[in-house]
Short mmCIF file of all heavy atoms in Angstrom, two decimals:
data_model
loop_
_atom_site.label_atom_id
_atom_site.label_comp_id
_atom_site.label_asym_id
_atom_site.label_seq_id
_atom_site.Cartn_x
_atom_site.Cartn_y
_atom_site.Cartn_z
N MET A 64 15.51 -17.15 -2.57
CA MET A 64 14.25 -16.58 -2.84
C MET A 64 13.81 -17.07 -4.25
O MET A 64 14.61 -17.02 -5.18
CB MET A 64 14.34 -15.09 -2.82
CG MET A 64 13.10 -14.34 -3.19
SD MET A 64 13.19 -12.56 -3.30
CE MET A 64 13.83 -12.09 -1.74
N ALA A 65 12.53 -17.42 -4.37
CA ALA A 65 12.04 -17.80 -5.68
C ALA A 65 11.99 -16.72 -6.62
O ALA A 65 11.70 -15.53 -6.13
CB ALA A 65 10.61 -18.46 -5.43
N LYS A 66 12.16 -16.91 -7.86
CA LYS A 66 12.01 -15.89 -8.86
C LYS A 66 10.90 -16.15 -9.85
O LYS A 66 10.52 -17.36 -10.04
CB LYS A 66 13.35 -15.85 -9.71
CG LYS A 66 14.60 -15.56 -8.89
CD LYS A 66 14.58 -14.08 -8.56
CE LYS A 66 15.85 -13.73 -7.75
NZ LYS A 66 15.93 -12.39 -7.43
N VAL A 67 10.29 -15.13 -10.39
CA VAL A 67 9.20 -15.26 -11.29
C VAL A 67 9.49 -14.53 -12.60
O VAL A 67 10.01 -13.43 -12.50
CB VAL A 67 7.88 -14.62 -10.69
CG1 VAL A 67 6.77 -14.71 -11.71
CG2 VAL A 67 7.51 -15.38 -9.44
N SER A 68 9.23 -15.14 -13.67
CA SER A 68 9.49 -14.50 -14.95
C SER A 68 8.09 -14.13 -15.59
O SER A 68 7.29 -15.00 -15.62
CB SER A 68 10.30 -15.41 -15.99
OG SER A 68 11.52 -15.70 -15.39
N ILE A 69 7.99 -12.88 -15.98
CA ILE A 69 6.81 -12.49 -16.71
C ILE A 69 7.12 -11.54 -17.89
O ILE A 69 8.19 -11.15 -18.03
CB ILE A 69 5.86 -11.61 -15.69
CG1 ILE A 69 6.62 -10.44 -15.21
CG2 ILE A 69 5.36 -12.51 -14.58
CD1 ILE A 69 5.77 -9.45 -14.46
N SER A 70 6.16 -11.48 -18.81
CA SER A 70 6.34 -10.53 -19.91
C SER A 70 5.52 -9.27 -19.72
O SER A 70 4.38 -9.33 -19.24
CB SER A 70 5.78 -11.30 -21.23
OG SER A 70 6.50 -12.36 -21.50
N LEU A 71 6.16 -8.17 -19.94
CA LEU A 71 5.54 -6.81 -19.78
C LEU A 71 5.73 -5.97 -21.07
O LEU A 71 6.72 -6.14 -21.80
CB LEU A 71 6.15 -6.08 -18.67
CG LEU A 71 5.94 -6.68 -17.27
CD1 LEU A 71 6.76 -5.94 -16.21
CD2 LEU A 71 4.52 -6.61 -16.88
N ASP A 72 4.81 -5.12 -21.27
CA ASP A 72 5.00 -4.13 -22.42
C ASP A 72 6.27 -3.33 -22.17
O ASP A 72 6.41 -2.76 -21.14
CB ASP A 72 3.68 -3.31 -22.43
CG ASP A 72 3.70 -2.29 -23.59
OD1 ASP A 72 4.64 -2.31 -24.35
OD2 ASP A 72 2.78 -1.43 -23.65
N ALA A 73 7.06 -3.31 -23.16
CA ALA A 73 8.43 -2.63 -23.07
C ALA A 73 8.25 -1.17 -22.76
O ALA A 73 9.07 -0.60 -22.06
CB ALA A 73 9.17 -2.92 -24.38
N GLU A 74 7.20 -0.58 -23.39
CA GLU A 74 7.02 0.87 -23.20
C GLU A 74 6.71 1.22 -21.76
O GLU A 74 7.15 2.20 -21.18
CB GLU A 74 5.87 1.41 -24.09
CG GLU A 74 6.31 1.45 -25.54
CD GLU A 74 5.21 2.02 -26.49
OE1 GLU A 74 4.30 2.74 -25.90
OE2 GLU A 74 5.18 1.72 -27.61
N LEU A 75 5.90 0.34 -21.11
CA LEU A 75 5.60 0.52 -19.67
C LEU A 75 6.87 0.39 -18.83
O LEU A 75 7.06 1.21 -17.92
CB LEU A 75 4.57 -0.54 -19.22
CG LEU A 75 3.18 -0.42 -19.75
CD1 LEU A 75 2.32 -1.65 -19.30
CD2 LEU A 75 2.53 0.81 -19.34
N VAL A 76 7.67 -0.61 -19.05
CA VAL A 76 8.94 -0.76 -18.31
C VAL A 76 9.85 0.40 -18.53
O VAL A 76 10.49 0.97 -17.55
CB VAL A 76 9.60 -2.12 -18.70
CG1 VAL A 76 10.88 -2.26 -17.93
CG2 VAL A 76 8.63 -3.26 -18.32
N VAL A 77 9.98 0.83 -19.82
CA VAL A 77 10.86 1.98 -20.03
C VAL A 77 10.38 3.24 -19.24
O VAL A 77 11.13 4.00 -18.64
CB VAL A 77 11.02 2.21 -21.52
CG1 VAL A 77 11.71 3.60 -21.81
CG2 VAL A 77 11.73 1.12 -22.19
N GLU A 78 9.14 3.42 -19.29
CA GLU A 78 8.55 4.57 -18.59
C GLU A 78 8.81 4.52 -17.08
O GLU A 78 9.12 5.52 -16.41
CB GLU A 78 7.05 4.72 -18.80
CG GLU A 78 6.45 6.06 -18.32
CD GLU A 78 5.12 6.33 -18.76
OE1 GLU A 78 4.50 5.63 -19.73
OE2 GLU A 78 4.40 7.27 -18.29
N VAL A 79 8.67 3.32 -16.53
CA VAL A 79 8.90 3.18 -15.04
C VAL A 79 10.42 3.38 -14.81
O VAL A 79 10.78 4.01 -13.83
CB VAL A 79 8.47 1.77 -14.63
CG1 VAL A 79 9.01 1.52 -13.21
CG2 VAL A 79 6.94 1.61 -14.68
N MET A 80 11.23 2.89 -15.76
CA MET A 80 12.67 3.07 -15.54
C MET A 80 13.05 4.52 -15.51
O MET A 80 13.88 5.02 -14.68
CB MET A 80 13.44 2.37 -16.68
CG MET A 80 13.37 0.90 -16.56
SD MET A 80 14.20 0.04 -18.00
CE MET A 80 15.82 0.65 -18.01
N VAL A 81 12.47 5.35 -16.38
CA VAL A 81 12.71 6.77 -16.46
C VAL A 81 12.15 7.42 -15.21
O VAL A 81 12.93 8.27 -14.58
CB VAL A 81 12.05 7.36 -17.77
CG1 VAL A 81 12.11 8.91 -17.68
CG2 VAL A 81 12.75 6.88 -19.03
N LEU A 82 10.98 7.19 -14.82
CA LEU A 82 10.38 7.77 -13.61
C LEU A 82 11.13 7.41 -12.39
O LEU A 82 11.32 8.20 -11.47
CB LEU A 82 8.91 7.42 -13.53
CG LEU A 82 7.92 7.92 -14.54
CD1 LEU A 82 6.57 7.34 -14.44
CD2 LEU A 82 7.80 9.42 -14.41
N ALA A 83 11.59 6.22 -12.28
CA ALA A 83 12.27 5.74 -11.02
C ALA A 83 13.76 6.11 -11.16
O ALA A 83 14.43 6.04 -10.11
CB ALA A 83 12.12 4.22 -10.91
N GLY A 84 14.26 6.44 -12.22
CA GLY A 84 15.70 6.68 -12.35
C GLY A 84 16.60 5.56 -12.20
O GLY A 84 17.66 5.61 -11.62
N VAL A 85 16.08 4.40 -12.69
CA VAL A 85 16.94 3.17 -12.68
C VAL A 85 17.26 2.77 -14.08
O VAL A 85 16.62 3.15 -14.99
CB VAL A 85 16.26 2.07 -11.85
CG1 VAL A 85 15.99 2.42 -10.48
CG2 VAL A 85 14.98 1.65 -12.52
N GLY A 86 18.36 1.99 -14.12
CA GLY A 86 18.82 1.60 -15.45
C GLY A 86 18.49 0.18 -15.83
O GLY A 86 18.79 -0.30 -16.95
N SER A 87 17.81 -0.61 -15.00
CA SER A 87 17.52 -1.97 -15.35
C SER A 87 16.01 -2.20 -15.22
O SER A 87 15.39 -1.79 -14.25
CB SER A 87 18.28 -2.86 -14.41
OG SER A 87 17.51 -3.65 -13.64
N PRO A 88 15.43 -2.93 -16.20
CA PRO A 88 14.04 -3.28 -16.04
C PRO A 88 13.67 -4.05 -14.80
O PRO A 88 12.60 -3.82 -14.26
CB PRO A 88 13.81 -4.15 -17.37
CG PRO A 88 14.90 -3.80 -18.25
CD PRO A 88 16.11 -3.43 -17.41
N GLN A 89 14.57 -4.90 -14.42
CA GLN A 89 14.40 -5.67 -13.20
C GLN A 89 14.19 -4.80 -12.02
O GLN A 89 13.25 -4.90 -11.23
CB GLN A 89 15.55 -6.64 -12.96
CG GLN A 89 15.49 -7.47 -11.64
CD GLN A 89 14.46 -8.62 -11.75
OE1 GLN A 89 14.25 -9.12 -12.77
NE2 GLN A 89 13.96 -8.96 -10.58
N ASP A 90 15.09 -3.85 -11.88
CA ASP A 90 15.06 -2.90 -10.79
C ASP A 90 13.79 -2.04 -10.78
O ASP A 90 13.15 -1.78 -9.74
CB ASP A 90 16.31 -1.99 -10.73
CG ASP A 90 17.56 -2.72 -10.35
OD1 ASP A 90 17.48 -3.87 -9.82
OD2 ASP A 90 18.67 -2.20 -10.57
N ALA A 91 13.42 -1.65 -11.96
CA ALA A 91 12.21 -0.84 -12.09
C ALA A 91 10.98 -1.55 -11.65
O ALA A 91 10.15 -0.95 -10.95
CB ALA A 91 12.08 -0.33 -13.58
N VAL A 92 10.82 -2.79 -12.11
CA VAL A 92 9.67 -3.50 -11.75
C VAL A 92 9.65 -3.83 -10.24
O VAL A 92 8.57 -3.72 -9.56
CB VAL A 92 9.49 -4.83 -12.60
CG1 VAL A 92 8.42 -5.71 -12.11
CG2 VAL A 92 9.31 -4.48 -14.05
N GLU A 93 10.75 -4.20 -9.68
CA GLU A 93 10.89 -4.39 -8.22
C GLU A 93 10.51 -3.19 -7.47
O GLU A 93 9.84 -3.30 -6.48
CB GLU A 93 12.28 -4.87 -7.86
CG GLU A 93 12.53 -6.32 -8.19
CD GLU A 93 13.84 -6.87 -7.69
OE1 GLU A 93 14.42 -6.22 -6.77
OE2 GLU A 93 14.30 -7.87 -8.14
N LEU A 94 10.94 -2.02 -7.90
CA LEU A 94 10.61 -0.81 -7.23
C LEU A 94 9.12 -0.56 -7.22
O LEU A 94 8.48 -0.16 -6.20
CB LEU A 94 11.33 0.46 -7.87
CG LEU A 94 12.70 0.63 -7.43
CD1 LEU A 94 13.36 1.71 -8.37
CD2 LEU A 94 12.94 1.00 -6.00
N VAL A 95 8.44 -0.81 -8.41
CA VAL A 95 7.02 -0.62 -8.46
C VAL A 95 6.33 -1.55 -7.55
O VAL A 95 5.35 -1.17 -6.80
CB VAL A 95 6.49 -0.76 -9.93
CG1 VAL A 95 5.00 -0.90 -9.98
CG2 VAL A 95 7.08 0.28 -10.78
N VAL A 96 6.67 -2.85 -7.49
CA VAL A 96 6.04 -3.81 -6.69
C VAL A 96 6.20 -3.43 -5.15
O VAL A 96 5.26 -3.48 -4.38
CB VAL A 96 6.53 -5.17 -7.01
CG1 VAL A 96 5.95 -6.24 -6.02
CG2 VAL A 96 6.06 -5.61 -8.44
N ARG A 97 7.38 -3.11 -4.87
CA ARG A 97 7.73 -2.78 -3.42
C ARG A 97 6.93 -1.53 -3.04
O ARG A 97 6.41 -1.49 -1.90
CB ARG A 97 9.22 -2.55 -3.17
CG ARG A 97 10.03 -3.80 -3.32
CD ARG A 97 11.48 -3.51 -3.01
NE ARG A 97 12.28 -4.73 -3.41
CZ ARG A 97 12.45 -5.77 -2.61
NH1 ARG A 97 11.88 -5.84 -1.44
NH2 ARG A 97 13.22 -6.79 -3.06
N ASP A 98 6.84 -0.56 -3.86
CA ASP A 98 6.02 0.70 -3.57
C ASP A 98 4.62 0.33 -3.37
O ASP A 98 3.94 0.79 -2.52
CB ASP A 98 6.22 1.71 -4.70
CG ASP A 98 5.47 2.95 -4.34
OD1 ASP A 98 5.79 3.65 -3.32
OD2 ASP A 98 4.52 3.30 -5.17
N TYR A 99 4.06 -0.57 -4.23
CA TYR A 99 2.68 -0.99 -4.18
C TYR A 99 2.37 -1.69 -2.76
O TYR A 99 1.38 -1.43 -2.12
CB TYR A 99 2.33 -1.90 -5.31
CG TYR A 99 0.91 -2.29 -5.33
CD1 TYR A 99 -0.10 -1.51 -5.90
CD2 TYR A 99 0.52 -3.51 -4.88
CE1 TYR A 99 -1.40 -1.93 -5.97
CE2 TYR A 99 -0.80 -3.99 -4.90
CZ TYR A 99 -1.75 -3.16 -5.43
OH TYR A 99 -3.11 -3.53 -5.40
N ILE A 100 3.30 -2.56 -2.44
CA ILE A 100 3.13 -3.30 -1.16
C ILE A 100 3.21 -2.32 0.05
O ILE A 100 2.44 -2.32 0.96
CB ILE A 100 4.19 -4.38 -1.05
CG1 ILE A 100 3.94 -5.51 -2.05
CG2 ILE A 100 4.31 -4.98 0.41
CD1 ILE A 100 5.01 -6.52 -2.18
N ALA A 101 4.18 -1.44 0.02
CA ALA A 101 4.34 -0.40 1.09
C ALA A 101 3.09 0.47 1.22
O ALA A 101 2.59 0.76 2.35
CB ALA A 101 5.58 0.45 0.88
N ARG A 102 2.50 0.83 0.10
CA ARG A 102 1.33 1.74 0.09
C ARG A 102 0.21 0.90 0.73
O ARG A 102 -0.61 1.45 1.47
CB ARG A 102 0.97 2.10 -1.36
CG ARG A 102 -0.17 3.02 -1.40
CD ARG A 102 -0.46 3.48 -2.78
NE ARG A 102 0.71 4.22 -3.28
CZ ARG A 102 0.93 4.50 -4.61
NH1 ARG A 102 0.08 4.04 -5.50
NH2 ARG A 102 1.99 5.14 -4.95
N GLY A 103 0.11 -0.40 0.43
CA GLY A 103 -0.94 -1.20 1.03
C GLY A 103 -0.78 -1.38 2.49
O GLY A 103 -1.79 -1.23 3.24
N HIS A 104 0.45 -1.43 3.01
CA HIS A 104 0.68 -1.55 4.41
C HIS A 104 0.35 -0.20 5.08
O HIS A 104 -0.26 -0.18 6.20
CB HIS A 104 2.12 -1.90 4.73
CG HIS A 104 2.48 -3.36 4.45
ND1 HIS A 104 1.88 -4.40 5.02
CD2 HIS A 104 3.28 -3.90 3.46
CE1 HIS A 104 2.42 -5.52 4.57
NE2 HIS A 104 3.16 -5.23 3.60
N ARG A 105 0.68 0.95 4.45
CA ARG A 105 0.33 2.20 5.08
C ARG A 105 -1.18 2.41 5.12
O ARG A 105 -1.70 2.87 6.07
CB ARG A 105 0.92 3.38 4.22
CG ARG A 105 2.47 3.44 4.37
CD ARG A 105 3.02 4.76 3.71
NE ARG A 105 2.71 4.97 2.37
CZ ARG A 105 3.38 4.50 1.34
NH1 ARG A 105 4.57 3.89 1.58
NH2 ARG A 105 3.04 4.75 0.06
N THR A 106 -1.84 1.90 4.08
CA THR A 106 -3.33 2.07 4.04
C THR A 106 -3.94 1.22 5.16
O THR A 106 -4.86 1.65 5.85
CB THR A 106 -3.85 1.63 2.70
OG1 THR A 106 -3.39 2.49 1.71
CG2 THR A 106 -5.44 1.72 2.67
N GLU A 107 -3.36 -0.07 5.30
CA GLU A 107 -3.92 -0.89 6.34
C GLU A 107 -3.68 -0.25 7.73
O GLU A 107 -4.62 -0.30 8.56
CB GLU A 107 -3.19 -2.26 6.35
CG GLU A 107 -3.61 -3.13 5.24
CD GLU A 107 -2.70 -4.39 5.12
OE1 GLU A 107 -1.85 -4.53 5.92
OE2 GLU A 107 -2.99 -5.17 4.19
N ALA A 108 -2.57 0.35 7.92
CA ALA A 108 -2.26 0.98 9.25
C ALA A 108 -3.19 2.15 9.46
O ALA A 108 -3.75 2.30 10.60
CB ALA A 108 -0.86 1.43 9.23
N ARG A 109 -3.46 3.00 8.53
CA ARG A 109 -4.41 4.14 8.60
C ARG A 109 -5.83 3.62 8.95
O ARG A 109 -6.51 4.19 9.82
CB ARG A 109 -4.36 5.02 7.39
CG ARG A 109 -3.20 5.98 7.41
CD ARG A 109 -3.49 7.00 6.37
NE ARG A 109 -3.77 6.48 5.01
CZ ARG A 109 -2.93 6.42 4.00
NH1 ARG A 109 -1.69 6.89 4.19
NH2 ARG A 109 -3.25 5.90 2.86
N THR A 110 -6.30 2.65 8.19
CA THR A 110 -7.74 2.18 8.39
C THR A 110 -7.84 1.43 9.70
O THR A 110 -8.88 1.53 10.37
CB THR A 110 -8.16 1.30 7.19
OG1 THR A 110 -7.28 0.19 7.03
CG2 THR A 110 -8.22 2.09 5.94
N GLU A 111 -6.74 0.78 10.14
CA GLU A 111 -6.81 0.08 11.37
C GLU A 111 -6.92 1.04 12.55
O GLU A 111 -7.72 0.90 13.49
CB GLU A 111 -5.58 -0.77 11.59
CG GLU A 111 -5.53 -1.58 12.90
CD GLU A 111 -4.35 -2.47 13.04
OE1 GLU A 111 -3.77 -2.91 11.97
OE2 GLU A 111 -3.96 -2.67 14.18
N LEU A 112 -6.17 2.20 12.46
CA LEU A 112 -6.29 3.18 13.51
C LEU A 112 -7.66 3.83 13.60
O LEU A 112 -8.25 4.05 14.55
CB LEU A 112 -5.22 4.29 13.27
CG LEU A 112 -3.77 3.95 13.63
CD1 LEU A 112 -2.82 5.03 13.25
CD2 LEU A 112 -3.68 3.65 15.12
N LYS A 113 -8.18 4.11 12.40
CA LYS A 113 -9.58 4.62 12.18
C LYS A 113 -10.60 3.67 12.79
O LYS A 113 -11.45 4.05 13.62
CB LYS A 113 -9.87 5.01 10.72
CG LYS A 113 -11.23 5.63 10.59
CD LYS A 113 -11.44 5.97 9.09
CE LYS A 113 -12.83 6.61 8.94
NZ LYS A 113 -13.08 6.88 7.50
N ASP A 114 -10.49 2.36 12.41
CA ASP A 114 -11.40 1.45 12.93
C ASP A 114 -11.33 1.31 14.48
O ASP A 114 -12.31 1.17 15.10
CB ASP A 114 -11.16 0.04 12.28
CG ASP A 114 -11.56 -0.04 10.86
OD1 ASP A 114 -12.31 0.97 10.42
OD2 ASP A 114 -11.13 -0.92 10.17
N GLN A 115 -10.10 1.37 14.97
CA GLN A 115 -9.92 1.26 16.45
C GLN A 115 -10.54 2.46 17.17
O GLN A 115 -11.24 2.31 18.14
CB GLN A 115 -8.44 1.23 16.73
CG GLN A 115 -8.13 1.01 18.23
CD GLN A 115 -6.65 0.95 18.51
OE1 GLN A 115 -5.79 1.10 17.60
NE2 GLN A 115 -6.28 0.64 19.71
N LYS A 116 -10.35 3.66 16.60
CA LYS A 116 -10.95 4.80 17.17
C LYS A 116 -12.54 4.75 17.08
O LYS A 116 -13.25 5.07 18.10
CB LYS A 116 -10.51 6.09 16.52
CG LYS A 116 -9.15 6.48 16.77
CD LYS A 116 -8.66 7.68 16.07
CE LYS A 116 -7.15 8.02 16.31
NZ LYS A 116 -6.65 9.10 15.58
N LEU A 117 -13.05 4.26 16.04
CA LEU A 117 -14.48 4.07 15.91
C LEU A 117 -15.02 3.08 16.95
O LEU A 117 -16.04 3.23 17.55
CB LEU A 117 -14.89 3.63 14.50
CG LEU A 117 -14.73 4.66 13.47
CD1 LEU A 117 -14.99 4.11 12.10
CD2 LEU A 117 -15.66 5.84 13.70
N ARG A 118 -14.25 1.99 17.15
CA ARG A 118 -14.64 0.99 18.20
C ARG A 118 -14.63 1.60 19.58
O ARG A 118 -15.47 1.29 20.38
CB ARG A 118 -13.75 -0.22 18.12
CG ARG A 118 -14.06 -1.23 17.01
CD ARG A 118 -13.35 -2.46 17.18
NE ARG A 118 -11.96 -2.38 17.06
CZ ARG A 118 -11.22 -2.48 15.93
NH1 ARG A 118 -11.87 -2.69 14.79
NH2 ARG A 118 -9.97 -2.34 15.86
N GLU A 119 -13.54 2.39 19.86
CA GLU A 119 -13.53 3.06 21.13
C GLU A 119 -14.71 3.98 21.41
O GLU A 119 -15.34 4.00 22.47
CB GLU A 119 -12.21 3.92 21.22
CG GLU A 119 -10.97 2.97 21.31
CD GLU A 119 -9.66 3.78 21.31
OE1 GLU A 119 -9.77 5.07 21.16
OE2 GLU A 119 -8.63 3.23 21.39
N VAL A 120 -15.20 4.68 20.38
CA VAL A 120 -16.32 5.52 20.49
C VAL A 120 -17.51 4.66 20.70
O VAL A 120 -18.43 4.99 21.59
CB VAL A 120 -16.49 6.42 19.26
CG1 VAL A 120 -17.88 7.12 19.26
CG2 VAL A 120 -15.36 7.39 19.17
N ALA A 121 -17.68 3.64 20.07
CA ALA A 121 -18.85 2.73 20.20
C ALA A 121 -18.87 2.08 21.48
O ALA A 121 -19.97 1.74 22.09
CB ALA A 121 -18.84 1.70 19.11
N ILE A 122 -17.75 1.80 22.13
CA ILE A 122 -17.66 1.09 23.47
C ILE A 122 -18.03 2.07 24.62
O ILE A 122 -18.61 1.63 25.64
CB ILE A 122 -16.28 0.56 23.70
CG1 ILE A 122 -15.99 -0.59 22.66
CG2 ILE A 122 -16.06 0.06 25.05
CD1 ILE A 122 -14.59 -1.11 22.61
N LYS A 123 -17.70 3.33 24.39
CA LYS A 123 -17.99 4.29 25.58
C LYS A 123 -19.47 4.33 25.81
O LYS A 123 -20.23 4.39 24.85
CB LYS A 123 -17.53 5.72 25.17
CG LYS A 123 -16.04 5.81 25.13
CD LYS A 123 -15.63 7.22 24.79
CE LYS A 123 -14.10 7.40 24.65
NZ LYS A 123 -13.71 8.74 24.21
N PRO A 124 -19.89 4.25 27.08
CA PRO A 124 -21.32 4.33 27.40
C PRO A 124 -21.88 5.70 26.95
O PRO A 124 -21.27 6.68 27.20
CB PRO A 124 -21.37 4.14 28.93
CG PRO A 124 -20.00 4.36 29.44
CD PRO A 124 -19.02 4.20 28.27
N GLN A 125 -23.02 5.68 26.47
CA GLN A 125 -23.68 6.88 25.98
C GLN A 125 -24.49 7.49 27.17
O GLN A 125 -25.00 6.78 28.00
CB GLN A 125 -24.56 6.60 24.79
CG GLN A 125 -23.81 6.20 23.53
CD GLN A 125 -24.74 6.03 22.40
OE1 GLN A 125 -25.96 6.23 22.51
NE2 GLN A 125 -24.16 5.68 21.26
N GLU A 126 -24.62 8.79 27.12
CA GLU A 126 -25.32 9.53 28.21
C GLU A 126 -26.86 9.20 27.97
O GLU A 126 -27.27 9.08 26.81
CB GLU A 126 -25.14 11.01 28.07
CG GLU A 126 -23.65 11.38 28.48
CD GLU A 126 -23.46 12.85 28.42
OE1 GLU A 126 -24.47 13.61 28.46
OE2 GLU A 126 -22.24 13.26 28.33
N PRO A 127 -27.55 9.05 29.11
CA PRO A 127 -29.06 8.76 28.89
C PRO A 127 -29.70 9.93 28.17
O PRO A 127 -29.29 11.11 28.36
CB PRO A 127 -29.46 8.77 30.39
CG PRO A 127 -28.28 8.58 31.21
CD PRO A 127 -27.16 9.13 30.35
N GLN A 128 -30.59 9.52 27.33
CA GLN A 128 -31.27 10.51 26.49
C GLN A 128 -32.71 10.60 26.99
O GLN A 128 -33.35 9.65 27.35
CB GLN A 128 -31.25 10.07 25.02
CG GLN A 128 -29.91 10.10 24.47
CD GLN A 128 -29.86 9.57 22.97
OE1 GLN A 128 -30.96 9.37 22.45
NE2 GLN A 128 -28.76 9.51 22.39
N GLY A 129 -33.25 11.87 26.89
CA GLY A 129 -34.67 11.98 27.20
C GLY A 129 -34.87 12.50 28.57
O GLY A 129 -35.57 12.54 29.34
#
């Protein structure tokens, strides 16, 4: 797996380490990134279901009006 090196504000990393309960900056940043990705996937799944339901409603023939 390819690795990327970046610079981050030390205070941010320490805060994430405390909140996540991990002892290494590497683990803390990986947890944040993995959580962000998982949240995005959950959001996509929810919006996809909502869009699918809206399409089903739009496809159903409407009763004649008037």
Side-chain angles (χ1 to χ4, degrees):
M64 178 186 306
K66 299 287 182 176
V67 176
S68 296
I69 58 172
S70 298
L71 295 171
D72 182 1
E74 289 181 23
L75 291 175
V76 176
V77 170
E78 189 167 350
V79 171
M80 289 171 61
V81 170
L82 290 171
V85 296
S87 116
Q89 176 75 30
D90 291 345
V92 173
E93 283 187 18
L94 282 172
V95 170
V96 172
R97 289 181 192 280
D98 181 62
Y99 183 81
I100 291 169
R102 184 176 299 162
H104 289 294
R105 289 190 303 268
T106 301
E107 287 174 358
R109 280 194 306 257
T110 57
E111 183 177 330
L112 286 174
K113 183 178 177 182
D114 289 346
Q115 184 178 6
K116 288 178 183 177
L117 290 174
R118 281 192 295 270
E119 289 173 0
V120 169
I122 291 173
K123 291 181 183 176
Q125 295 183 0
E126 295 181 18
Q128 297 177 2

